[in-house]
Amino acid sequence: MKIATITSESNNTLKSIRALHRRQAREKEKLFLLEGTNCLAEALRKQIDLKAVVVSQSYLAEHLEELLDLELEKVSVVEDKIFAALATTATSCGVLAVAALPGKSKTGISNWQPRIVAIADAIQDPGNLGTLIRTAYAAELGGLILLKGSVDPFNPKVVRAAAGALFSLPIISDLETQEVIELLRSNQMRIIICQASASKRYFEADLTDSVAIVLGNEGQGVSTAMSEAADESISIPMNPGSESLNVAISGGIILFETLKQRLTVANS
Amino acid sequence: MKIATITSESNNTLKSIRALHRRQAREKEKLFLLEGTNCLAEALRKQIDLKAVVVSQSYLAEHLEELLDLELEKVSVVEDKIFAALATTATSCGVLAVAALPGKSKTGISNWQPRIVAIADAIQDPGNLGTLIRTAYAAELGGLILLKGSVDPFNPKVVRAAAGALFSLPIISDLETQEVIELLRSNQMRIIICQASASKRYFEADLTDSVAIVLGNEGQGVSTAMSEAADESISIPMNPGSESLNVAISGGIILFETLKQRLTVANS
């Protein structure tokens, strides 16, 4: 592993890293940032192409062995103070990488297995979307579709909260609602929306096969177009004194209900 | 509603607000901060004693009607720039209040209904704890016990993520593990820990009555003392490629399983 020291804040790699905090730069350069040893290791396991790895001086001193384990070709070192201005979080552990955005998935949703997908209908909080990606992968979903209006899945906060699942779960993003409805119809998938007013409870619905579960925006819920296209509405019964659940939590409850149903059907 | 203008940053109320960002000051003054119109309205509904309400000039201009609806005696207004230094979040909507910490709950866990409680075993991330509080209230739990080592439930980030549930769900905090084990035993409650290695799946366990569900720390999981005291271990089956779930998500899945079992038993 070669170690290079960068001393100037106007170094090109550092400039590029600072720019990649913004979506526009990520889309133009086809690059994104990832941070932390675990995330880096997971990216390498999934053959994500790392263009540069930058560490702080204290990270290098304390974690040299972990770094060597990653078998990187080259690492750049900067002073802790300079690193702090690159990091995407105030509590960064001191290592980040510039990575190539994965190409658009070549297989469409017709090849996703199992035929259980989640749809994020304009989820805007990056922590919520990242957690949802991590949860969808853990619940063994076939994939995730992000409708237009959702936060960029390569936003650094999404990358962090997704904890590696971003490189494993098939994701299609930036699709129009109408386009997705047609895609689901042509794939014979039932559209199931989660809505507080639905009388059918989530554990009463058949979620074992060919279903697309739509999770709505934090404030507005599921869009009107999606509601109108829905084959079924389900709700999570809860304390009437409680306003609602965080969307990542309601997603977790319903996506894991699909896994439970699949496991139970397989055993019976 | 009286409106007072504060122009000096060294005003005592403002000084006190800045201090209350820290746990030590909250415990010494027996006060905490809450932020946002919804959180304020919920606190008022639950008879939380508000000592002061401060808004930014633009909040006052844009939300006067909502403020009047709250029927507050007095509101202090500060310039937006001054407000930004008081707020507990970079994206504050412009209203915050100083509130009296609720007294320790007079009824012990023996009076909590239903007899289903959650135990946070050193949960350290404020967003996770706040979401867990919101989720536990929505899942109609009897209450929540926070073991020593957990983040302060009146940390502003916990208050925000709990979205009002903090004022409704019975919570006991800062207890030693041994003390809680004895408390549960004397109340004839089964201790159930969530552990990835457990062979019993969460939906195979009877979670309908007299159970205490222990949710472990983000890194270490459940403590050894708690594991040794456990009557039962349960796990959430998941994708073997996935490392783990966020603790708020696994909590959500298991706490809502308890509600589902209660609803299903009641109907059968």
Side-chain angles (χ1 to χ4, degrees):
Chain A
M1 181 177 81
K2 270 191 262 177
I3 298 185
T5 302
I6 299 177
T7 51
S8 158
E9 293 187 49
S10 58
N11 167 285
N12 278 337
T13 304
L14 304 197
K15 271 199 225 165
S16 156
I17 290 174
R18 285 190 297 263
L20 292 172
H21 286 230
R22 295 191 317 275
R23 181 173 194 160
Q24 225 182 4
R26 290 194 293 273
E27 287 175 353
K28 188 171 162 234
E29 306 295 338
K30 307 228 177 307
L31 295 171
F32 72 104
L33 298 177
L34 44 89
E35 212 165 328
T37 322
N38 290 342
C39 193
L40 230 80
E42 191 59 26
L44 288 167
R45 259 196 296 279
K46 299 292 171 181
Q47 268 100 46
I48 298 288
D49 180 13
L50 301 187
K51 301 294 187 188
V53 176
V54 179
V55 299
S56 69
Q57 283 178 341
S58 15
Y59 183 88
L60 186 69
E62 289 161 30
H63 301 270
L64 184 57
E65 223 161 312
E66 283 166 66
L67 262 184
L68 290 171
D69 281 349
L70 295 177
E71 300 181 353
L72 299 163
E73 264 177 50
K74 182 186 159 188
V75 164
S76 300
V77 188
V78 299
E79 276 179 30
D80 291 13
K81 216 179 61 188
I82 295 182
F83 189 90
L86 305 175
T88 62
T89 153
T91 56
S92 171
C93 72
V95 52
L96 61 75
V98 177
L101 277 182
K104 299 270 174 197
S105 170
K106 272 159 213 134
T107 66
I109 74 159
S110 52
N111 293 95
W112 287 358
Q113 282 301 335
R115 287 167 54 80
I116 316 277
V117 310
I119 296 176
D121 190 354
I123 292 183
Q124 283 164 351
D125 179 86
N128 284 345
L129 182 63
T131 304
L132 189 65
I133 292 171
R134 181 176 173 188
T135 308
Y137 179 60
E140 304 206 39
L141 256 66
L144 175 67
I145 299 173
L146 306 180
L147 298 189
K148 268 201 177 24
S150 292
V151 59
D152 174 18
F154 292 97
N155 172 308
K157 285 183 189 164
V158 178
V159 176
R160 194 164 350 116
L166 187 62
F167 315 129
S168 303
L169 182 76
I171 299 177
I172 308 181
S173 61
D174 225 19
L175 260 60
E176 297 285 356
T177 304
Q178 209 46 49
E179 198 178 345
V180 172
I181 292 171
E182 283 158 26
L183 194 61
L184 295 170
R185 294 244 181 283
S186 65
N187 279 280
Q188 284 89 44
M189 295 185 85
R190 277 182 302 141
I191 301 175
I192 300 189
I193 60 169
C194 305
Q195 219 162 23
S197 60
S199 59
K200 182 175 262 187
R201 301 180 291 185
Y202 70 99
F203 49 81
E204 294 165 336
D206 177 358
L207 306 175
T208 48
D209 194 24
S210 302
V211 292
I213 292 168
V214 186
L215 301 164
N217 167 292
E218 290 87 350
Q220 273 80 52
V222 173
S223 72
T224 314
M226 215 26 124
S227 298
E228 285 170 2
D231 295 294
E232 217 169 312
S233 293
I234 55 174
S235 63
I236 300 177
M238 67 181 82
N239 193 331
S242 152
E243 258 182 77
S244 65
L245 287 169
N246 173 298
V247 62
I249 299 291
S250 48
I253 293 168
I254 291 172
L255 301 188
F256 269 84
E257 173 68 17
T258 74
L259 179 59
K260 176 190 157 178
Q261 291 191 8
R262 279 174 279 155
L263 292 170
T264 322
V265 165
N267 281 348
S268 67
Chain B
M1 184 177 79
K2 271 191 262 175
I3 298 185
T5 303
I6 298 177
T7 50
S8 158
E9 293 187 47
S10 58
N11 168 285
N12 278 337
T13 304
L14 305 196
K15 270 199 225 165
S16 156
I17 290 173
R18 286 190 298 263
L20 291 171
H21 286 229
R22 295 191 316 274
R23 182 174 195 160
Q24 226 182 3
R26 290 194 293 275
E27 287 174 354
K28 187 170 163 238
E29 307 295 339
K30 308 225 176 307
L31 296 171
F32 72 104
L33 298 176
L34 45 88
E35 213 165 327
T37 322
N38 290 343
C39 193
L40 230 78
E42 191 59 26
L44 287 167
R45 259 197 296 279
K46 299 291 172 183
Q47 268 96 45
I48 297 288
D49 180 14
L50 301 187
K51 302 295 188 186
V53 176
V54 179
V55 300
S56 69
Q57 283 178 342
S58 15
Y59 183 88
L60 187 69
E62 290 161 30
H63 301 269
L64 184 58
E65 223 161 313
E66 281 167 66
L67 261 184
L68 290 171
D69 282 348
L70 296 178
E71 300 183 351
L72 299 163
E73 264 177 51
K74 183 186 161 190
V75 164
S76 301
V77 188
V78 299
E79 276 179 30
D80 291 13
K81 214 180 62 190
I82 295 182
F83 190 89
L86 305 174
T88 62
T89 152
T91 56
S92 172
C93 71
V95 52
L96 62 75
V98 177
L101 277 183
K104 300 270 174 193
S105 171
K106 272 158 213 133
T107 66
I109 73 160
S110 51
N111 294 96
W112 286 359
Q113 281 300 335
R115 288 168 53 79
I116 316 278
V117 309
I119 295 175
D121 190 354
I123 293 184
Q124 283 163 351
D125 180 85
N128 284 345
L129 182 62
T131 304
L132 189 65
I133 291 171
R134 180 175 174 189
T135 308
Y137 180 60
E140 304 205 41
L141 257 66
L144 175 67
I145 298 172
L146 306 181
L147 299 189
K148 268 198 178 20
S150 293
V151 59
D152 174 17
F154 292 96
N155 172 307
K157 285 184 189 162
V158 177
V159 176
R160 195 167 346 119
L166 186 62
F167 315 129
S168 304
L169 182 76
I171 299 177
I172 307 181
S173 61
D174 225 18
L175 261 59
E176 296 286 356
T177 304
Q178 210 45 49
E179 199 177 345
V180 171
I181 292 171
E182 283 158 27
L183 194 62
L184 295 170
R185 294 245 181 282
S186 65
N187 278 280
Q188 284 88 45
M189 295 185 84
R190 277 182 302 140
I191 301 175
I192 300 189
I193 59 168
C194 305
Q195 217 160 26
S197 59
S199 59
K200 181 175 263 187
R201 300 180 292 185
Y202 70 99
F203 49 80
E204 294 165 337
D206 177 358
L207 306 175
T208 49
D209 195 23
S210 302
V211 292
I213 292 168
V214 186
L215 301 163
N217 168 294
E218 291 87 351
Q220 272 82 50
V222 173
S223 71
T224 314
M226 215 28 126
S227 298
E228 285 171 1
D231 296 293
E232 218 169 310
S233 293
I234 55 174
S235 63
I236 300 177
M238 67 180 80
N239 192 330
S242 153
E243 258 181 77
S244 66
L245 287 170
N246 173 298
V247 63
I249 299 292
S250 47
I253 293 168
I254 291 172
L255 301 188
F256 269 85
E257 172 68 18
T258 74
L259 179 59
K260 176 190 157 179
Q261 291 191 7
R262 278 174 281 156
L263 292 170
T264 322
V265 164
N267 281 348
S268 69

